[in-house]
Amino acid sequence: MIRLFVALDFPEDVRRRLAGLGGGVPGARWTDADNLHLTLRFIGEVPEDQAAEIDESLAQIAAPAFDLVLDGVGVYGSGRNARVLWAGVERSDALSHLQSKVESALVRCGLPAEERKFSPHVTLARLKDASKDRIGRFVEERGMFRAGPIRVDHFTLYRSHLGKGAAVYEALSEYGLG
Ligand code: 3AM
């Protein structure tokens, strides 16, 4: 079995800027600059032959390239349940369009439909027992963050290797956008 997800990657300058937002929140585990991405669809564990089928199906997606703007930061969960610090994404019909094409390609491969609404974000940090005040301050101080427009001309199938530390993401295939 291999653990998969579909995501957008970012150019190095954008990743550096995103990584540069980190710090100042004890209890936060910051995402390495190399691992920053925007998840389009988490797939989870699948057998290798199904992974090959998924790859073929994703390769058949025809969607236009587009520009994406990152905008602001926020937190998922509140108080003691704050779990994730994220960078936000400006509303983009092209992004939603691509995401729904990915979703239907995966459903055609026999994966169960995603029940949750797509909520595009870039995970900056995962939180454990982080102080509410520090989180509040982070969101306040970094709220003006903006990056882009970023040209999105491909999306990527990633394999996630779980280990003792942070997960290691391996790009398996890239798919061009027209
Ligand atoms: O892009 P982010 O970091 O928000 O949280 C995981 C990560 O999202 C998410 O898939 C992305 C790549 O690992 N993920 C992990 N397990 C998941 C699950 N069981 C999950 N998303 C939904 N269900």
Side-chain angles (χ1 to χ4, degrees):
M1 300 285 268
I2 57 178
R3 188 179 178 85
L4 301 176
F5 65 101
V6 181
L8 302 181
D9 60 18
F10 297 111
E12 173 155 9
D13 58 323
V14 174
R15 281 187 280 116
R16 299 272 157 245
R17 284 198 57 212
L18 285 164
L21 292 170
V25 184
R29 275 189 293 120
W30 300 94
T31 310
D32 276 353
D34 290 344
N35 282 347
L36 289 161
H37 62 269
L38 187 162
T39 299
L40 294 172
R41 173 60 141 88
F42 177 74
I43 297 174
E45 308 272 344
V46 297
E48 301 220 3
D49 54 344
Q50 192 177 20
E53 203 182 306
I54 287 169
D55 177 33
E56 270 173 40
S57 184
L58 293 174
Q60 278 162 28
I61 289 177
F66 59 96
D67 288 327
L68 196 66
V69 175
L70 300 182
D71 184 19
V73 300
V75 54
Y76 284 145
S78 59
R80 290 183 146 270
N81 294 319
R83 297 179 318 273
V84 166
L85 289 178
W86 46 262
V89 180
E90 215 173 60
R91 194 195 129 81
S92 161
D93 291 339
L95 175 64
S96 304
H97 176 73
L98 175 60
Q99 196 277 334
S100 63
K101 288 213 153 179
V102 168
E103 175 64 23
S104 36
L106 295 175
V107 168
R108 275 198 301 276
C109 291
L111 293 169
E114 174 63 71
E115 300 288 335
R116 291 181 302 180
K117 194 172 166 294
F118 178 48
S119 172
H121 64 275
V122 182
T123 293
L124 299 172
R126 294 183 195 282
L127 302 170
K128 205 175 169 206
D129 301 327
S131 113
K132 201 171 146 226
D133 289 353
R134 292 297 187 92
I135 293 170
R137 202 189 302 166
F138 176 87
V139 172
E140 216 165 274
E141 289 177 354
R142 311 292 194 205
M144 296 301 286
F145 174 78
R146 270 178 80 84
I150 302 158
R151 191 69 182 160
V152 178
D153 59 8
H154 66 277
F155 64 100
T156 305
L157 177 63
Y158 283 97
R159 176 171 182 179
S160 172
H161 298 268
L162 301 179
K164 274 198 180 150
V168 174
Y169 302 143
E170 175 192 2
L172 295 181
S173 291
E174 283 189 3
Y175 313 96
L177 298 170

mmCIF file of all heavy atoms in Angstrom, residues 25 27 74-86 125-133 135:
data_model
loop_
_atom_site.group_PDB
_atom_site.id
_atom_site.type_symbol
_atom_site.label_atom_id
_atom_site.label_comp_id
_atom_site.label_asym_id
_atom_site.label_seq_id
_atom_site.Cartn_x
_atom_site.Cartn_y
_atom_site.Cartn_z
ATOM 1 N N VAL A 25 5.670 30.823 17.971
ATOM 2 C CA VAL A 25 4.540 30.095 18.560
ATOM 3 C C VAL A 25 5.052 28.787 19.182
ATOM 4 O O VAL A 25 5.134 27.773 18.500
ATOM 5 C CB VAL A 25 3.435 29.790 17.515
ATOM 6 C CG1 VAL A 25 2.230 29.129 18.186
ATOM 7 C CG2 VAL A 25 3.007 31.045 16.766
ATOM 8 N N GLY A 27 5.123 25.266 20.685
ATOM 9 C CA GLY A 27 4.124 24.207 20.499
ATOM 10 C C GLY A 27 3.760 24.024 19.040
ATOM 11 O O GLY A 27 3.001 23.123 18.702
ATOM 12 N N GLY A 74 -4.285 32.042 8.983
ATOM 13 C CA GLY A 74 -5.378 31.745 9.910
ATOM 14 C C GLY A 74 -5.093 30.480 10.682
ATOM 15 O O GLY A 74 -4.007 29.885 10.567
ATOM 16 N N VAL A 75 -6.086 30.073 11.450
ATOM 17 C CA VAL A 75 -5.907 28.895 12.301
ATOM 18 C C VAL A 75 -7.143 28.014 12.181
ATOM 19 O O VAL A 75 -8.258 28.521 12.072
ATOM 20 C CB VAL A 75 -5.617 29.328 13.761
ATOM 21 C CG1 VAL A 75 -6.676 30.268 14.286
ATOM 22 C CG2 VAL A 75 -5.437 28.148 14.674
ATOM 23 N N TYR A 76 -6.931 26.708 12.089
ATOM 24 C CA TYR A 76 -8.038 25.752 12.161
ATOM 25 C C TYR A 76 -8.158 25.283 13.604
ATOM 26 O O TYR A 76 -7.165 24.895 14.219
ATOM 27 C CB TYR A 76 -7.786 24.526 11.278
ATOM 28 C CG TYR A 76 -7.989 24.765 9.795
ATOM 29 C CD1 TYR A 76 -7.172 24.120 8.870
ATOM 30 C CD2 TYR A 76 -8.983 25.593 9.309
ATOM 31 C CE1 TYR A 76 -7.340 24.321 7.504
ATOM 32 C CE2 TYR A 76 -9.161 25.797 7.955
ATOM 33 C CZ TYR A 76 -8.343 25.160 7.052
ATOM 34 O OH TYR A 76 -8.519 25.361 5.712
ATOM 35 N N GLY A 77 -9.375 25.314 14.091
ATOM 36 C CA GLY A 77 -9.614 24.953 15.485
ATOM 37 C C GLY A 77 -9.422 26.191 16.342
ATOM 38 O O GLY A 77 -8.812 27.166 15.906
ATOM 39 N N SER A 78 -9.958 26.126 17.568
ATOM 40 C CA SER A 78 -9.790 27.306 18.413
ATOM 41 C C SER A 78 -9.495 26.873 19.839
ATOM 42 O O SER A 78 -9.719 25.727 20.221
ATOM 43 C CB SER A 78 -11.041 28.174 18.354
ATOM 44 O OG SER A 78 -12.137 27.419 18.790
ATOM 45 N N GLY A 79 -8.952 27.794 20.591
ATOM 46 C CA GLY A 79 -8.616 27.518 21.988
ATOM 47 C C GLY A 79 -7.681 26.334 22.090
ATOM 48 O O GLY A 79 -6.690 26.241 21.374
ATOM 49 N N ARG A 80 -8.075 25.394 22.941
ATOM 50 C CA ARG A 80 -7.234 24.205 23.157
ATOM 51 C C ARG A 80 -7.191 23.295 21.934
ATOM 52 O O ARG A 80 -6.338 22.434 21.827
ATOM 53 C CB ARG A 80 -7.767 23.381 24.342
ATOM 54 C CG ARG A 80 -7.566 24.052 25.664
ATOM 55 C CD ARG A 80 -8.034 23.167 26.807
ATOM 56 N NE ARG A 80 -7.182 23.370 27.971
ATOM 57 C CZ ARG A 80 -6.084 22.655 28.207
ATOM 58 N NH1 ARG A 80 -5.721 21.691 27.402
ATOM 59 N NH2 ARG A 80 -5.360 22.897 29.268
ATOM 60 N N ASN A 81 -8.174 23.475 21.045
ATOM 61 C CA ASN A 81 -8.257 22.606 19.871
ATOM 62 C C ASN A 81 -7.631 23.213 18.624
ATOM 63 O O ASN A 81 -7.836 22.704 17.525
ATOM 64 C CB ASN A 81 -9.714 22.252 19.584
ATOM 65 C CG ASN A 81 -10.289 21.400 20.695
ATOM 66 O OD1 ASN A 81 -9.609 20.507 21.197
ATOM 67 N ND2 ASN A 81 -11.498 21.710 21.113
ATOM 68 N N ALA A 82 -6.885 24.288 18.774
ATOM 69 C CA ALA A 82 -6.188 24.863 17.616
ATOM 70 C C ALA A 82 -5.210 23.805 17.095
ATOM 71 O O ALA A 82 -4.408 23.273 17.842
ATOM 72 C CB ALA A 82 -5.448 26.127 18.034
ATOM 73 N N ARG A 83 -5.338 23.478 15.826
ATOM 74 C CA ARG A 83 -4.567 22.354 15.282
ATOM 75 C C ARG A 83 -3.568 22.752 14.210
ATOM 76 O O ARG A 83 -2.522 22.146 14.080
ATOM 77 C CB ARG A 83 -5.508 21.315 14.639
ATOM 78 C CG ARG A 83 -6.477 20.650 15.556
ATOM 79 C CD ARG A 83 -7.360 19.656 14.785
ATOM 80 N NE ARG A 83 -7.794 20.176 13.491
ATOM 81 C CZ ARG A 83 -8.890 20.916 13.300
ATOM 82 N NH1 ARG A 83 -9.659 21.220 14.310
ATOM 83 N NH2 ARG A 83 -9.197 21.332 12.094
ATOM 84 N N VAL A 84 -3.967 23.743 13.387
ATOM 85 C CA VAL A 84 -3.167 24.044 12.196
ATOM 86 C C VAL A 84 -3.103 25.559 11.984
ATOM 87 O O VAL A 84 -4.126 26.236 12.064
ATOM 88 C CB VAL A 84 -3.817 23.372 10.948
ATOM 89 C CG1 VAL A 84 -3.226 23.918 9.655
ATOM 90 C CG2 VAL A 84 -3.640 21.846 10.989
ATOM 91 N N LEU A 85 -1.908 26.049 11.736
ATOM 92 C CA LEU A 85 -1.755 27.416 11.226
ATOM 93 C C LEU A 85 -1.616 27.322 9.720
ATOM 94 O O LEU A 85 -0.851 26.486 9.230
ATOM 95 C CB LEU A 85 -0.498 28.080 11.806
ATOM 96 C CG LEU A 85 -0.519 28.452 13.285
ATOM 97 C CD1 LEU A 85 0.835 29.045 13.674
ATOM 98 C CD2 LEU A 85 -1.643 29.433 13.587
ATOM 99 N N TRP A 86 -2.321 28.165 9.005
ATOM 100 C CA TRP A 86 -2.294 28.057 7.548
ATOM 101 C C TRP A 86 -2.155 29.422 6.894
ATOM 102 O O TRP A 86 -2.448 30.448 7.499
ATOM 103 C CB TRP A 86 -3.554 27.371 7.027
ATOM 104 C CG TRP A 86 -4.860 27.829 7.593
ATOM 105 C CD1 TRP A 86 -5.554 27.213 8.606
ATOM 106 C CD2 TRP A 86 -5.643 28.978 7.216
ATOM 107 N NE1 TRP A 86 -6.715 27.909 8.867
ATOM 108 C CE2 TRP A 86 -6.802 28.992 8.035
ATOM 109 C CE3 TRP A 86 -5.487 29.994 6.277
ATOM 110 C CZ2 TRP A 86 -7.780 29.984 7.934
ATOM 111 C CZ3 TRP A 86 -6.465 30.986 6.171
ATOM 112 C CH2 TRP A 86 -7.591 30.965 6.999
ATOM 113 N N ALA A 125 2.000 25.159 9.956
ATOM 114 C CA ALA A 125 2.441 24.490 11.181
ATOM 115 C C ALA A 125 1.316 23.658 11.749
ATOM 116 O O ALA A 125 0.137 23.961 11.534
ATOM 117 C CB ALA A 125 2.877 25.526 12.218
ATOM 118 N N ARG A 126 1.685 22.595 12.433
ATOM 119 C CA ARG A 126 0.724 21.843 13.238
ATOM 120 C C ARG A 126 0.962 22.218 14.691
ATOM 121 O O ARG A 126 2.091 22.426 15.118
ATOM 122 C CB ARG A 126 0.921 20.347 13.028
ATOM 123 C CG ARG A 126 0.575 19.996 11.588
ATOM 124 C CD ARG A 126 0.663 18.535 11.246
ATOM 125 N NE ARG A 126 0.648 18.429 9.795
ATOM 126 C CZ ARG A 126 -0.458 18.543 9.055
ATOM 127 N NH1 ARG A 126 -1.632 18.703 9.635
ATOM 128 N NH2 ARG A 126 -0.385 18.471 7.753
ATOM 129 N N LEU A 127 -0.133 22.294 15.427
ATOM 130 C CA LEU A 127 -0.055 22.841 16.781
ATOM 131 C C LEU A 127 -0.351 21.771 17.820
ATOM 132 O O LEU A 127 -1.211 20.913 17.614
ATOM 133 C CB LEU A 127 -1.090 23.957 16.938
ATOM 134 C CG LEU A 127 -0.970 25.123 15.952
ATOM 135 C CD1 LEU A 127 -2.187 26.032 16.060
ATOM 136 C CD2 LEU A 127 0.306 25.911 16.207
ATOM 137 N N LYS A 128 0.399 21.855 18.903
ATOM 138 C CA LYS A 128 0.092 20.998 20.047
ATOM 139 C C LYS A 128 0.269 21.837 21.301
ATOM 140 O O LYS A 128 1.370 22.327 21.567
ATOM 141 C CB LYS A 128 1.045 19.796 20.050
ATOM 142 C CG LYS A 128 0.451 18.625 20.771
ATOM 143 C CD LYS A 128 1.306 17.387 20.689
ATOM 144 C CE LYS A 128 0.756 16.358 21.653
ATOM 145 N NZ LYS A 128 1.769 15.430 22.085
ATOM 146 N N ASP A 129 -0.810 22.020 22.022
ATOM 147 C CA ASP A 129 -0.766 22.818 23.262
ATOM 148 C C ASP A 129 -0.122 24.184 23.055
ATOM 149 O O ASP A 129 0.636 24.640 23.908
ATOM 150 C CB ASP A 129 0.010 22.059 24.359
ATOM 151 C CG ASP A 129 -0.617 20.716 24.671
ATOM 152 O OD1 ASP A 129 -1.854 20.624 24.583
ATOM 153 O OD2 ASP A 129 0.123 19.770 24.978
ATOM 154 N N ALA A 130 -0.399 24.818 21.941
ATOM 155 C CA ALA A 130 0.157 26.152 21.716
ATOM 156 C C ALA A 130 -0.699 27.185 22.441
ATOM 157 O O ALA A 130 -1.906 27.009 22.581
ATOM 158 C CB ALA A 130 0.209 26.462 20.222
ATOM 159 N N SER A 131 -0.046 28.243 22.905
ATOM 160 C CA SER A 131 -0.787 29.242 23.675
ATOM 161 C C SER A 131 -1.701 30.061 22.769
ATOM 162 O O SER A 131 -1.335 30.474 21.673
ATOM 163 C CB SER A 131 0.183 30.140 24.454
ATOM 164 O OG SER A 131 0.154 31.451 23.949
ATOM 165 N N LYS A 132 -2.915 30.280 23.274
ATOM 166 C CA LYS A 132 -3.925 31.022 22.532
ATOM 167 C C LYS A 132 -3.427 32.429 22.197
ATOM 168 O O LYS A 132 -3.640 32.941 21.103
ATOM 169 C CB LYS A 132 -5.161 31.102 23.441
ATOM 170 C CG LYS A 132 -6.438 31.378 22.744
ATOM 171 C CD LYS A 132 -7.602 31.204 23.730
ATOM 172 C CE LYS A 132 -8.672 32.196 23.393
ATOM 173 N NZ LYS A 132 -9.214 32.910 24.522
ATOM 174 N N ASP A 133 -2.724 33.023 23.153
ATOM 175 C CA ASP A 133 -2.232 34.392 22.941
ATOM 176 C C ASP A 133 -1.200 34.438 21.826
ATOM 177 O O ASP A 133 -1.211 35.332 20.990
ATOM 178 C CB ASP A 133 -1.591 34.933 24.220
ATOM 179 C CG ASP A 133 -2.646 35.201 25.277
ATOM 180 O OD1 ASP A 133 -3.845 35.099 24.950
ATOM 181 O OD2 ASP A 133 -2.261 35.499 26.425
ATOM 182 N N ILE A 135 -0.863 32.324 19.379
ATOM 183 C CA ILE A 135 -1.537 32.055 18.102
ATOM 184 C C ILE A 135 -2.229 33.334 17.624
ATOM 185 O O ILE A 135 -2.113 33.732 16.465
ATOM 186 C CB ILE A 135 -2.551 30.905 18.250
ATOM 187 C CG1 ILE A 135 -1.829 29.603 18.539
ATOM 188 C CG2 ILE A 135 -3.408 30.764 16.992
ATOM 189 C CD1 ILE A 135 -2.748 28.463 18.945
#
